[in-house]
Amino acid sequence: MRPPSSILPLGHYDTIYALSTAPGRAAIAIIRISGAGWWDIYQALCPNRPPPTPRKATLRDLLDPSDTNNILDSALVFHFPAPKTVTGEDILELHIHGGHATVKAVLAAIGQCRSKHTIRYADAGEFTRRAFQNDRLDLGQVEALGDALSAETEQQRRAAMRGNSGKLGRIYEEWRQLLLAARGELEALIDFSEDQHFDESPAELVRNVTSQIGPILEAIRRHQKGSRYGELLKRGIRISLLGPPNAGKSSLLNIIVDREASIVSEEAGTTRDIVEVSVDIGGYLCVFADTAGLRSSSSIGGVEQEGIRRAKAKAKDSDLVIVLASVEPSDSSNSSIYQLASGHSGLSTFCDLESLKIAAEAEQAIVVVNKCDSTRDLGTQLEYTKTKIDNLLPGRSPAVVSISCRDAEQSGGLDPGNIGALLDILQTTFGIMTNVGDDLDLLGVSERQSQLLSTCTECFERFKDEALQGEECDIVVAAEHLRAAAACLARITGRGEAGDVEEVLGIVFEKFCVGK
Ligand SMILES: Nc1nc2c(c(=O)[nH]1)N(C=O)[C@@H](CNc1ccc(C(=O)N[C@@H](CCC(=O)O)C(=O)O)cc1)CN2
């Protein structure tokens, strides 16, 4: 029988197959086969049966090619004819029962099929690589797919899907075409200026091109902002918990992650190193760094001092700083401790100045006042605390929330220890930190793409510098800057004259699993 699809595959690639669902026991497993060899595989497994109707589920017994009395499984099979498929090639999907032995037997049978096409097990990401090679996806979409596959939180998933539409790739391609056209005009000047009459003088032309790239430059800035926010969602929001020893940093972290993630001890200065814990708060991936308690005292040892140094460095590097203040009796041994407000029965609100200094410089900061136990009446004291913090961090007015780790650990109630309020404030803050405006697609710009956009703007700047020379402007040099800018855009999508596509593909496909 002739294969039902008369359309030849686009490239001359091996036929690849793989288990595309997770290995292990499951109700159903899907084996995907991509390439011209699909027909030989189908015939070997379903001898003398008519081809499946394209894109329709067809029930077939799969037989062992070396012993046709041995029915391997009763499966649903699908044929997706090239080129309108996910890889651009013919695809055969076998939806089989998920038992280990069934999957193993069917994979072994496919491996034994005879064909003039080489049939082999796929490498990691190879189906997606085919999609790229056959122009079904651009590099940005491949990256987004990788992100979608590794998304663990709702916001990671949303950011990944934003890069998936191909819209960004189309925009970059449009810009690239514009630049190439402008470069073409400049080069026409260079090549023919002696024997042809041009409406525009070279200086005028360069000026026109400069005004054409103005809006692109603006758009690039928006894309870079989107990328920063998208990365916050994808790689997680890095949060540092700062405060004096025993303020309750580790307890709070443990309550938040709801597991024993870092050492909790009554002894001051036990969290010497930085413990990083990832947690999903309202769909946002948060990476908490539980740092050594900050205190400046000559009596502390070298190891602890190193811990403090690292804590400060980490805090500078984080996206959000949570300063932990607490309500307790005064600790005279700690010179950097600061009394924010004094209250009843010898209790005051304390914070340390080092933490506040770091918060003053942080991208975002929140102050959490711990040890506000239900037994304490702290209303006015907390009001004073808020006012004091606003005075100490002018223009920042960070959210101040009171909690009690002790209540959270010990008692029931609706929201013991007010932790729910803290989590609400965190979520609101994350929303503000990642608010990219109406054009949500900008969240799909990856870090790699953003770096290329930076290089692209550098080329623009060089072009503009050259253009500013007016009559002295060197057209050859100016055209070269435009070519370099266009090449950056080509490397984003992996199309056009993108030189190092293989290298980029290597990086992008590292994330992929076999079967994808
Ligand atoms: N069984 C199965 N489920 C799957 C996939 C798959 O390959 N197989 N996918 C694998 O990633 C995802 C779906 N992605 C797909 C993307 C494009 C086409 C496709 O055939 N596109 C054609 C025709 C589109 C149409 O019918 O309108 C095209 O784009 O030309 C199929 C699946 C998730 N679920």
Side-chain angles (χ1 to χ4, degrees):
M1 259 194 274
R2 274 173 47 77
S5 162
S6 55
I7 300 162
L8 285 169
L10 302 161
H12 299 281
Y13 302 121
D14 294 347
T15 293
I16 51 173
Y17 68 97
L19 176 66
S20 281
T21 44
R25 233 183 111 189
I28 291 163
I30 300 178
I31 295 169
R32 282 201 298 185
I33 298 151
S34 180
W38 80 274
W39 176 240
D40 296 324
I41 294 171
Y42 176 79
Q43 283 184 303
L45 298 177
C46 309
N48 306 317
R49 302 301 313 269
T53 311
R55 309 178 76 85
K56 290 265 180 321
T58 310
L59 186 62
R60 287 277 183 270
D61 280 346
L62 307 181
L63 308 184
D64 179 352
S66 54
D67 169 12
T68 47
N69 286 321
N70 181 17
I71 301 174
L72 298 173
D73 194 20
S74 176
L76 272 183
V77 304
F78 292 79
H79 170 228
F80 300 95
K84 290 205 152 196
T85 70
V86 75
T87 58
E89 301 174 326
D90 275 294
I91 288 187
L92 179 65
E93 283 193 357
L94 309 175
H95 294 214
I96 62 176
H97 292 96
H100 180 71
T102 309
V103 172
K104 200 172 154 191
V106 176
L107 287 175
I110 296 170
Q112 283 162 19
C113 287
R114 307 206 152 269
S115 170
K116 69 176 173 14
H117 306 280
T118 305
I119 294 169
R120 62 169 172 81
Y121 206 74
D123 292 333
E126 201 170 6
F127 288 90
T128 311
R129 184 183 274 265
R130 294 266 163 110
F132 172 76
Q133 284 165 329
N134 291 329
D135 259 342
R136 309 300 296 167
L137 298 175
D138 71 30
L139 212 43
Q141 288 173 292
V142 172
E143 274 177 303
L145 203 55
D147 288 337
L149 287 177
S150 51
E152 288 191 351
T153 71
E154 176 60 13
Q155 295 294 338
Q156 283 181 316
R157 184 193 66 71
R158 286 181 190 221
M161 290 313 288
R162 288 291 160 191
N164 205 16
S165 67
K167 192 174 150 195
L168 291 169
R170 284 193 291 278
I171 294 174
Y172 299 140
E173 184 54 21
E174 211 174 277
W175 294 349
R176 193 174 77 88
Q177 293 301 338
L178 228 144
L179 293 176
L180 290 179
R183 173 195 170 205
E185 284 187 57
L186 290 181
E187 289 190 336
L189 267 185
I190 305 163
D191 294 342
F192 306 111
S193 56
E194 272 154 34
D195 42 56
Q196 249 177 298
H197 173 72
F198 284 88
D199 298 339
E200 288 172 304
S201 74
E204 269 170 351
L205 182 54
V206 169
R207 253 201 313 280
N208 276 347
V209 173
T210 312
S211 59
Q212 272 174 32
I213 62 178
I216 301 185
L217 255 173
E218 250 170 62
I220 287 183
R221 302 238 155 81
R222 281 203 310 280
H223 281 237
Q224 285 175 312
K225 184 170 140 199
S227 156
R228 273 198 303 282
Y229 293 174
E231 284 302 314
L232 272 186
L233 298 178
K234 285 183 267 184
R235 69 149 157 75
I237 299 171
R238 290 171 306 201
I239 304 175
S240 277
L241 271 172
L242 293 181
N246 277 349
K249 298 187 296 300
S250 300
S251 303
L252 175 59
L253 186 59
N254 285 341
I255 290 166
I256 288 178
V257 301
D258 202 24
R259 63 185 159 97
E260 289 292 305
S262 80
I263 325 145
V264 186
S265 158
E266 285 303 310
E267 191 192 319
T270 43
T271 314
R272 295 230 165 99
D273 217 329
I274 295 167
V275 183
E276 279 198 346
V277 193
S278 298
V279 50
D280 178 339
I281 298 180
Y284 293 89
L285 174 67
C286 303
V287 186
F288 276 91
D290 178 19
T291 53
L294 294 182
R295 57 176 183 171
S296 61
S297 160
S298 51
S299 65
I300 59 176
V303 177
E304 196 182 339
Q305 252 161 6
E306 173 57 16
I308 291 171
R309 192 195 62 74
R310 284 193 208 168
K312 284 187 191 169
K314 193 85 196 166
K316 290 210 175 92
D317 211 31
S318 55
D319 308 304
L320 169 68
V321 166
I322 298 181
V323 173
L324 207 56
S326 60
V327 176
E328 53 198 334
S330 180
D331 170 9
S332 58
S333 74
N334 196 333
S335 55
S336 80
I337 212 83
Y338 189 80
Q339 188 172 346
L340 290 163
S342 58
H344 306 296
S345 49
L347 292 173
S348 299
T349 315
F350 293 100
C351 182
D352 82 336
L353 281 179
E354 283 293 338
S355 305
L356 279 183
K357 266 189 225 159
I358 294 171
E361 285 165 24
E363 296 260 320
Q364 282 286 341
I366 291 180
V367 177
V368 175
V369 186
N370 189 22
K371 308 192 187 177
C372 299
D373 307 332
S374 50
T375 49
R376 296 172 181 172
D377 179 17
L378 300 166
T380 1
Q381 191 175 329
L382 287 171
E383 283 306 313
Y384 282 135
T385 305
K386 276 184 197 173
T387 315
K388 194 62 175 266
I389 285 169
D390 281 344
N391 291 340
L392 286 167
L393 304 179
R396 305 231 33 174
S397 48
V400 178
V401 54
S402 57
I403 61 160
S404 163
C405 289
R406 201 191 70 176
D407 284 357
E409 281 160 355
Q410 289 180 354
S411 51
L414 272 182
D415 180 12
N418 212 27
I419 302 297
L422 169 60
L423 294 178
D424 284 348
I425 286 179
L426 283 175
Q427 280 182 55
T428 310
T429 311
F430 300 155
I432 295 167
M433 290 166 76
T434 56
N435 182 4
V436 74
D438 291 341
D439 194 355
L440 290 171
D441 287 307
L442 297 186
L443 291 174
V445 183
S446 72
E447 175 71 28
R448 180 189 75 86
Q449 298 174 21
S450 176
Q451 280 175 14
L452 285 165
L453 288 175
S454 285
T455 320
C456 183
T457 57
E458 283 164 24
C459 298
F460 280 171
E461 293 304 335
R462 287 194 207 110
F463 171 83
K464 282 195 338 206
D465 285 347
E466 195 57 45
L468 282 176
Q469 314 274 322
E471 298 298 328
E472 303 293 303
C473 163
D474 184 334
I475 302 285
V476 179
V477 171
E480 169 54 24
H481 292 321
L482 289 185
R483 189 207 57 77
C488 292
L489 297 173
R491 285 171 64 193
I492 293 183
T493 56
R495 303 283 177 227
E497 37 161 357
D500 52 0
V501 160
E502 270 309 310
E503 192 191 328
V504 177
L505 281 177
I507 298 167
V508 171
F509 283 113
E510 250 173 27
K511 285 190 194 166
F512 281 74
C513 47
V514 175
K516 192 58 209 172

mmCIF file of all heavy atoms in Angstrom, residues 30 32 55 80 84-86 93 95 136 516, ligand 1:
data_model
loop_
_atom_site.group_PDB
_atom_site.id
_atom_site.type_symbol
_atom_site.label_atom_id
_atom_site.label_comp_id
_atom_site.label_asym_id
_atom_site.label_seq_id
_atom_site.Cartn_x
_atom_site.Cartn_y
_atom_site.Cartn_z
ATOM 1 N N ILE A 30 1.008 7.751 25.577
ATOM 2 C CA ILE A 30 0.997 8.159 24.167
ATOM 3 C C ILE A 30 2.400 8.037 23.597
ATOM 4 O O ILE A 30 3.361 8.582 24.152
ATOM 5 C CB ILE A 30 0.491 9.611 24.006
ATOM 6 C CG1 ILE A 30 -0.936 9.733 24.560
ATOM 7 C CG2 ILE A 30 0.541 10.046 22.540
ATOM 8 C CD1 ILE A 30 -1.513 11.140 24.491
ATOM 9 N N ARG A 32 4.549 8.957 20.315
ATOM 10 C CA ARG A 32 4.477 9.793 19.104
ATOM 11 C C ARG A 32 5.558 9.366 18.125
ATOM 12 O O ARG A 32 6.693 9.083 18.529
ATOM 13 C CB ARG A 32 4.670 11.270 19.451
ATOM 14 C CG ARG A 32 3.427 11.886 20.040
ATOM 15 C CD ARG A 32 3.441 13.395 19.893
ATOM 16 N NE ARG A 32 4.560 14.003 20.594
ATOM 17 C CZ ARG A 32 4.724 15.317 20.677
ATOM 18 N NH1 ARG A 32 3.874 16.137 20.087
ATOM 19 N NH2 ARG A 32 5.741 15.799 21.328
ATOM 20 N N ARG A 55 -6.473 12.636 11.304
ATOM 21 C CA ARG A 55 -6.905 13.422 12.466
ATOM 22 C C ARG A 55 -8.125 12.873 13.172
ATOM 23 O O ARG A 55 -8.782 13.573 13.926
ATOM 24 C CB ARG A 55 -7.147 14.890 12.075
ATOM 25 C CG ARG A 55 -5.991 15.534 11.325
ATOM 26 C CD ARG A 55 -6.289 16.949 10.922
ATOM 27 N NE ARG A 55 -6.185 17.829 12.063
ATOM 28 C CZ ARG A 55 -5.056 18.369 12.506
ATOM 29 N NH1 ARG A 55 -3.922 18.138 11.871
ATOM 30 N NH2 ARG A 55 -5.043 19.131 13.567
ATOM 31 N N PHE A 80 -1.738 12.330 11.701
ATOM 32 C CA PHE A 80 -1.809 13.754 11.362
ATOM 33 C C PHE A 80 -0.922 13.955 10.145
ATOM 34 O O PHE A 80 0.302 13.802 10.225
ATOM 35 C CB PHE A 80 -1.309 14.614 12.534
ATOM 36 C CG PHE A 80 -2.110 14.428 13.798
ATOM 37 C CD1 PHE A 80 -1.695 13.527 14.772
ATOM 38 C CD2 PHE A 80 -3.282 15.136 14.002
ATOM 39 C CE1 PHE A 80 -2.430 13.346 15.929
ATOM 40 C CE2 PHE A 80 -4.030 14.963 15.167
ATOM 41 C CZ PHE A 80 -3.606 14.060 16.132
ATOM 42 N N LYS A 84 0.720 20.095 8.015
ATOM 43 C CA LYS A 84 0.020 20.854 9.065
ATOM 44 C C LYS A 84 -0.030 20.045 10.351
ATOM 45 O O LYS A 84 -1.101 19.604 10.786
ATOM 46 C CB LYS A 84 -1.379 21.226 8.590
ATOM 47 C CG LYS A 84 -1.365 22.276 7.497
ATOM 48 C CD LYS A 84 -2.654 23.039 7.468
ATOM 49 C CE LYS A 84 -2.439 24.431 6.919
ATOM 50 N NZ LYS A 84 -3.551 25.319 7.197
ATOM 51 N N THR A 85 1.111 19.835 10.930
ATOM 52 C CA THR A 85 1.176 19.113 12.200
ATOM 53 C C THR A 85 2.119 19.868 13.122
ATOM 54 O O THR A 85 2.769 20.828 12.715
ATOM 55 C CB THR A 85 1.739 17.684 12.017
ATOM 56 O OG1 THR A 85 3.131 17.793 11.693
ATOM 57 C CG2 THR A 85 1.009 16.917 10.943
ATOM 58 N N VAL A 86 2.214 19.366 14.308
ATOM 59 C CA VAL A 86 3.013 20.071 15.293
ATOM 60 C C VAL A 86 4.513 20.067 14.928
ATOM 61 O O VAL A 86 5.223 21.032 15.180
ATOM 62 C CB VAL A 86 2.694 19.519 16.711
ATOM 63 C CG1 VAL A 86 3.312 18.173 16.950
ATOM 64 C CG2 VAL A 86 3.036 20.484 17.790
ATOM 65 N N GLU A 93 0.265 8.872 16.129
ATOM 66 C CA GLU A 93 0.192 8.771 17.590
ATOM 67 C C GLU A 93 -0.481 7.472 17.970
ATOM 68 O O GLU A 93 -1.525 7.113 17.415
ATOM 69 C CB GLU A 93 -0.612 9.943 18.176
ATOM 70 C CG GLU A 93 0.165 11.232 18.231
ATOM 71 C CD GLU A 93 -0.511 12.318 19.084
ATOM 72 O OE1 GLU A 93 -1.626 12.084 19.586
ATOM 73 O OE2 GLU A 93 0.087 13.381 19.227
ATOM 74 N N HIS A 95 -2.169 5.816 21.118
ATOM 75 C CA HIS A 95 -2.655 6.010 22.495
ATOM 76 C C HIS A 95 -2.931 4.622 23.054
ATOM 77 O O HIS A 95 -3.942 4.007 22.727
ATOM 78 C CB HIS A 95 -3.916 6.866 22.502
ATOM 79 C CG HIS A 95 -3.687 8.277 22.040
ATOM 80 N ND1 HIS A 95 -4.366 9.358 22.550
ATOM 81 C CD2 HIS A 95 -2.836 8.800 21.119
ATOM 82 C CE1 HIS A 95 -3.946 10.482 21.971
ATOM 83 N NE2 HIS A 95 -3.018 10.145 21.071
ATOM 84 N N ARG A 136 7.520 25.612 11.999
ATOM 85 C CA ARG A 136 6.237 25.584 12.712
ATOM 86 C C ARG A 136 6.286 26.476 13.943
ATOM 87 O O ARG A 136 5.266 26.940 14.427
ATOM 88 C CB ARG A 136 5.862 24.148 13.138
ATOM 89 C CG ARG A 136 5.924 23.122 12.044
ATOM 90 C CD ARG A 136 5.014 23.412 10.900
ATOM 91 N NE ARG A 136 3.603 23.401 11.251
ATOM 92 C CZ ARG A 136 2.640 23.855 10.474
ATOM 93 N NH1 ARG A 136 2.948 24.373 9.287
ATOM 94 N NH2 ARG A 136 1.393 23.815 10.855
ATOM 95 N N LYS A 516 9.298 15.361 23.775
ATOM 96 C CA LYS A 516 8.726 16.695 23.550
ATOM 97 C C LYS A 516 9.351 17.317 22.333
ATOM 98 O O LYS A 516 10.536 17.229 22.125
ATOM 99 C CB LYS A 516 8.964 17.582 24.772
ATOM 100 C CG LYS A 516 8.164 18.849 24.723
ATOM 101 C CD LYS A 516 6.679 18.591 24.616
ATOM 102 C CE LYS A 516 5.967 19.718 23.883
ATOM 103 N NZ LYS A 516 4.595 19.460 23.575
HETATM 104 N N1 LIG B 1 -2.150 13.897 21.639
HETATM 105 C C1 LIG B 1 -1.499 15.033 21.665
HETATM 106 N N2 LIG B 1 -1.852 16.007 22.507
HETATM 107 C C2 LIG B 1 -1.158 17.172 22.523
HETATM 108 C C3 LIG B 1 -0.061 17.403 21.670
HETATM 109 C C4 LIG B 1 0.296 16.343 20.767
HETATM 110 O O1 LIG B 1 1.261 16.436 19.990
HETATM 111 N N3 LIG B 1 -0.452 15.208 20.794
HETATM 112 N N4 LIG B 1 0.633 18.607 21.727
HETATM 113 C C5 LIG B 1 1.939 18.741 21.346
HETATM 114 O O2 LIG B 1 2.632 19.679 21.574
HETATM 115 C C6 LIG B 1 -0.038 19.765 22.332
HETATM 116 C C7 LIG B 1 -1.009 20.352 21.347
HETATM 117 N N5 LIG B 1 -0.309 21.050 20.319
HETATM 118 C C8 LIG B 1 -0.545 20.939 18.975
HETATM 119 C C9 LIG B 1 -0.175 21.982 18.161
HETATM 120 C C10 LIG B 1 -0.430 21.932 16.814
HETATM 121 C C11 LIG B 1 -1.058 20.823 16.264
HETATM 122 C C12 LIG B 1 -1.418 20.786 14.820
HETATM 123 O O3 LIG B 1 -1.742 19.754 14.283
HETATM 124 N N6 LIG B 1 -1.399 21.932 14.152
HETATM 125 C C13 LIG B 1 -1.739 22.112 12.750
HETATM 126 C C14 LIG B 1 -3.231 22.083 12.530
HETATM 127 C C15 LIG B 1 -3.997 23.009 13.400
HETATM 128 C C16 LIG B 1 -5.505 22.922 13.276
HETATM 129 O O4 LIG B 1 -6.094 21.859 13.266
HETATM 130 O O5 LIG B 1 -6.090 23.998 13.192
HETATM 131 C C17 LIG B 1 -1.140 23.410 12.245
HETATM 132 O O6 LIG B 1 -0.707 24.216 13.054
HETATM 133 O O7 LIG B 1 -1.067 23.578 11.022
HETATM 134 C C18 LIG B 1 -1.393 19.749 17.082
HETATM 135 C C19 LIG B 1 -1.130 19.803 18.442
HETATM 136 C C20 LIG B 1 -0.701 19.326 23.588
HETATM 137 N N7 LIG B 1 -1.539 18.135 23.401
#
